[in-house]
Amino acid sequence: MPHDHSDGPEHSHLSDIDARVRALESLLSEKGYIDSAAVDEIVDTYQTKIGPRNGAHVVAKSWTDPEFRNWLERDATAAIHSLGYTSRQGEHMQALFNSDQVHHLVVCTLCSCYPWSVLGLPPTWYKSPPFRSRAVIDPRGVLQDFGINIPDDVSVEVHDSTAEMRYIVIPERPTGTDDWSEDALSKLVTRNAMIGTGFALSPAEVS
Amino acid sequence: MIPSDTHTVPGFEDEPVFEEPWQAQAFAMVVALHQNGAFTWDEWAATLSAEIHGPTKRPYYDHWLAALENIVEQKRLTSASDLRKRKVAWHDAAARTPHGQPIRLG
């Protein structure tokens, strides 16, 4: 292949990392291990179709449907699957229920495992080394950084995700929402609330 | 401030999931390879974890990409030398492509 070293500003330039990604994609698709159209489809799915809304649906249903809540407690993988949210990675899901006695916080100290099927892609802070290490050592301090103060008489439990087990936190249902529909309730459920770094929003915060 | 619609509810849109397109490509290639049975998710998690806990601290998706390069070599889907050669080919292709046109391998 002739080398052309006359690449001035009028020519293109690839960053080294971009060239590495292109090398992988072109080689792997030539060999038939991946299909470029399928790769684009996956990007689109994770960016637009999967996201915290799926998890918010799970939470809102658990608030309004006691039978679903029981199922979620017994077998979260199956209960979540029943709503059409299936993990492509095949890991198990466990639901963690916040109450006036316990606040759950999810972390992955190993490699940033995340419940993609219900929460989409993880936020940058979830993948950052300070969050991953501090959440275990000083969970209350981390929660304060997120503006969350947990009273001393409420215990904080930290759950370390693995490749096989992912968690979704079911936050407490906000007060003043007794007559709310499942759809309206789901709008109160933030991604952070389902990781444990936030609470569900109050009606006043969305009105 | 009162959010005008659900897109502005805090916690849903505070940052983009990918900072650059290559991150999305690297992410999706791993999912695609796993779906096609090239490796198990356990194997991927172990490879990524080894990379993240290695001596070099890098941004998350840099680790992700390095782990992808490692696992495709471990699984003999391609070799490190083929990847290197192909990377050079892409740099060469970029250098002879006028700015603004799609870069294609010769």
Side-chain angles (χ1 to χ4, degrees):
Chain A
M1 185 181 293
H3 284 233
D4 179 2
H5 291 290
S6 63
D7 51 325
E10 73 276 14
H11 281 88
S12 304
H13 177 75
L14 286 177
S15 70
D16 197 58
I17 217 154
D18 200 344
R20 282 163 65 196
V21 170
R22 283 170 188 252
L24 276 163
E25 181 156 28
S26 56
L27 274 172
L28 294 172
S29 46
E30 277 165 27
K31 289 167 181 254
Y33 293 117
I34 54 170
D35 168 40
S36 293
V39 169
D40 290 344
E41 169 86 31
I42 290 164
V43 172
D44 185 56
T45 299
Y46 276 89
Q47 285 200 301
T48 59
K49 298 187 188 116
I50 301 178
R53 298 245 151 258
N54 294 4
H57 180 196
V58 172
V59 171
K61 193 165 179 63
S62 81
W63 285 343
T64 54
D65 181 343
E67 215 168 287
F68 182 77
R69 187 184 176 93
N70 284 338
W71 192 9
L72 205 54
E73 276 183 61
R74 289 196 319 274
D75 185 353
T77 310
I80 289 167
H81 183 90
S82 78
L83 300 181
Y85 309 136
T86 315
S87 160
R88 290 159 188 260
Q89 281 75 48
E91 78 279 359
H92 294 286
M93 292 287 309
Q94 189 181 334
L96 307 164
F97 296 83
N98 281 351
S99 69
D100 55 6
Q101 288 166 15
V102 60
H103 182 91
H104 298 283
L105 173 64
V106 179
V107 66
C108 176
T109 53
L110 196 64
C111 61
S112 313
C113 292
Y114 193 73
W116 294 341
S117 58
V118 279
L119 295 189
L121 288 158
T124 304
W125 54 259
Y126 185 84
K127 298 172 292 193
S128 73
F131 175 74
R132 302 204 324 258
S133 55
R134 272 193 66 217
V136 175
I137 303 162
D138 178 23
R140 284 175 195 270
V142 166
L143 291 172
Q144 271 166 11
D145 292 348
F146 281 91
I148 298 290
N149 280 302
I150 305 295
D152 288 342
D153 60 344
V154 177
S155 65
V156 174
E157 287 186 13
V158 180
H159 302 265
D160 199 351
S161 310
T162 65
E164 301 86 35
M165 182 62 80
R166 314 285 168 94
Y167 301 97
I168 178 172
V169 175
I170 309 297
E172 285 188 280
R173 182 172 176 162
T175 51
T177 61
D178 287 355
D179 55 350
W180 284 42
S181 70
E182 186 183 300
D183 190 47
L185 285 167
S186 74
K187 295 184 170 56
L188 300 176
V189 186
T190 65
R191 181 194 60 206
N192 286 12
M194 295 181 279
I195 301 175
T197 52
F199 298 124
L201 301 172
S202 67
E205 284 173 291
V206 289
S207 64
Chain B
M1 194 194 84
I2 297 166
S4 57
D5 64 29
T6 55
H7 291 292
T8 57
V9 172
F12 276 106
E13 42 62 70
D14 48 359
E15 59 183 74
V17 286
F18 298 117
E19 287 149 6
E20 295 178 48
W22 71 261
Q23 297 178 344
Q25 292 297 113
F27 167 81
M29 273 193 276
V30 169
V31 175
L33 286 167
H34 170 258
Q35 277 172 11
N36 295 342
F39 43 76
T40 68
W41 203 255
D42 272 2
E43 289 172 321
W44 168 249
T47 307
L48 177 59
S49 179
E51 176 57 38
I52 285 174
H53 292 273
T56 321
K57 291 284 162 259
R58 286 190 283 240
Y60 181 74
Y61 276 108
D62 291 40
H63 285 308
W64 183 283
L65 177 59
L68 174 56
E69 288 168 338
N70 290 345
I71 204 166
V72 295
E73 201 193 351
Q74 279 165 32
K75 293 288 177 183
R76 300 183 192 284
L77 307 185
T78 184
S79 68
S81 76
D82 279 356
L83 280 176
R84 259 197 310 277
K85 279 184 225 152
R86 183 56 66 93
K87 189 181 85 172
V88 171
W90 276 109
H91 278 308
D92 288 345
R96 62 172 183 268
T97 304
H99 189 76
Q101 289 187 17
I103 300 165
R104 291 200 177 87
L105 289 175

